[in-house]
Amino acid sequence: METSITQRLFGTEDALALFDPDALTFLVLAIVILWIGKCINDFTTPYKLSEQLTEKDNKAIAVSFSGYMLAIGVIVWGVLRQDIAANGIEDARKLLWMDIGGTALWSIFGILLLQVARVANDKLLLHRFSNVKELVEDHNVGTGAVQAGSYVGSAFVIQAATYGESSGSLIADIGSTLLYFVCCQIAFILFGLVYQKISAYDLHAEIERDNAAAGVGFGMTLAAIGMLLSSYLISNDSLIGLAVWFAICVCLLSICRYAVDKFILPGSLLDDEISRDRNWGAALIEGTAAIGLALILSTLFH
């Protein structure tokens, strides 16, 4: 029997579904995973987070750690979305404890990969200086912004790599996730080289000079690259296709940056605003445009 408009508007079933006890269980699990992620970060970094945030008011660490927390949220969201897509809500209730274990396992695995991304960021993406020194000693917000963007971009890749049907072997699933993760980290490094080429200023030098604008623009664009790569991985497996998609995205993001320079910020060069005036507002517009383009392209092509 067809449901009337009145029944749809004033029915109670949708409201009662919001009090699903299983959802509360996974919410508690997500909070625990966030805490575990914080503990792992404390163990793998040479500074004390609480000291840097509260006693020294280190905004650079705050920016970096905010990106890290957001990245964990993206990973957990991806794992939970995978469980519902694969099993359905009713099956998820029957297999509650199995789903809890799977969510915890893949989330923690993703957090460990974030630590690998942090090291790659330090040693390869911003290789001319020490990220830790810039964050802890110089309170360099630009470095924190790049690290945050790397975290978020990597998180989108991780959640996409774990999405889809399982091969039936945990080792094979972990291996494929690692393969896609490594390929996308290489893509981040290559994009960093391209970004340096299309910028009229020395990206590393500006960030090392505590230019927050340079870090904000680059960091947000890294997040956009991660979103674009993840949109491909969710529905495709081919590494050749991933390479072609990456090349297309780099070209389109470069065009987007040029469009921001010429049409959205007319009268002044974007590179001058970032390097000479240290205008983080202009960098924010650049990064926002890149993320907006990533959302549009993800919908149009996949």
Side-chain angles (χ1 to χ4, degrees):
M1 182 176 181
E2 186 176 352
T3 304
S4 67
I5 296 178
T6 302
Q7 288 176 315
R8 292 201 302 269
L9 291 177
F10 298 101
T12 60
E13 291 184 3
D14 292 341
L16 293 175
L18 298 176
F19 296 94
D20 182 0
D22 292 350
L24 180 61
T25 300
F26 281 102
L27 175 60
V28 172
L29 176 62
I31 294 173
V32 171
I33 291 172
L34 286 172
W35 175 77
I36 292 174
K38 188 263 184 186
C39 293
I40 292 175
N41 186 74
D42 287 342
F43 180 76
T44 56
T45 53
Y47 53 82
K48 294 182 179 179
L49 180 65
S50 58
E51 177 184 356
Q52 291 294 324
L53 293 181
T54 58
E55 297 179 18
K56 298 186 178 181
D57 297 332
N58 191 333
K59 304 299 188 298
I61 294 292
V63 171
S64 173
F65 189 70
S66 296
Y68 178 70
M69 286 285 100
L70 177 58
I72 295 176
V74 169
I75 291 172
V76 175
W77 161 67
V79 174
L80 290 175
R81 185 177 60 161
Q82 166 73 351
D83 286 340
I84 293 176
N87 301 323
I89 296 177
E90 294 300 325
D91 287 341
R93 288 173 180 168
K94 296 176 182 177
L95 304 172
L96 177 61
W97 290 106
M98 184 180 297
D99 285 341
I100 289 175
T103 300
L105 174 65
W106 283 106
S107 297
I108 293 174
F109 179 60
I111 292 172
L112 294 177
L113 290 182
L114 286 180
Q115 299 302 321
V116 176
R118 177 179 58 81
V119 174
N121 181 21
D122 191 1
K123 302 299 182 183
L124 300 173
L125 199 59
L126 297 178
H127 59 277
R128 295 186 192 174
F129 50 80
S130 169
N131 283 6
V132 173
K133 175 184 177 297
E134 293 298 318
L135 291 171
V136 177
E137 297 181 16
D138 298 343
H139 293 201
N140 190 328
V141 174
T143 300
V146 175
Q147 199 167 78
S150 174
Y151 279 140
V152 174
S154 297
F156 273 101
V157 168
I158 293 167
Q159 65 91 20
T162 60
Y163 193 84
E165 294 184 4
S166 172
S167 65
S169 169
L170 179 61
I171 295 178
D173 290 340
I174 291 176
S176 64
T177 299
L178 286 173
L179 175 63
Y180 289 125
F181 173 77
V182 170
C183 290
C184 291
Q185 289 300 308
I186 294 173
F188 284 160
I189 305 304
L190 293 176
F191 178 75
L193 296 175
V194 173
Y195 190 91
Q196 176 65 84
K197 291 294 183 182
I198 65 176
S199 302
Y201 54 86
D202 188 327
L203 177 65
H204 286 79
E206 289 299 326
I207 293 176
E208 192 171 13
R209 285 198 287 264
D210 297 345
N211 186 342
V216 168
F218 183 47
M220 293 183 70
T221 309
L222 281 177
I225 279 288
M227 294 169 64
L228 286 166
L229 293 175
S230 72
S231 71
Y232 174 88
L233 291 177
I234 285 177
S235 54
N236 302 280
D237 298 322
S238 170
L239 292 178
I240 301 299
L242 179 63
V244 173
W245 175 241
F246 171 70
I248 292 173
C249 292
V250 169
C251 292
L252 292 177
L253 285 174
S254 300
I255 294 172
C256 177
R257 193 174 192 275
Y258 179 82
V260 169
D261 191 2
K262 298 302 180 183
F263 303 112
I264 300 180
L265 296 174
S268 181
L269 294 176
L270 175 62
D271 289 331
D272 287 344
E273 289 295 319
I274 292 175
S275 61
R276 184 187 62 198
D277 299 339
R278 301 193 172 195
N279 185 346
W280 63 264
L284 185 64
I285 292 175
E286 175 197 353
T288 303
I291 291 175
L293 179 64
L295 292 173
I296 294 171
L297 292 176
S298 298
T299 302
L300 290 178
F301 289 91
H302 299 291

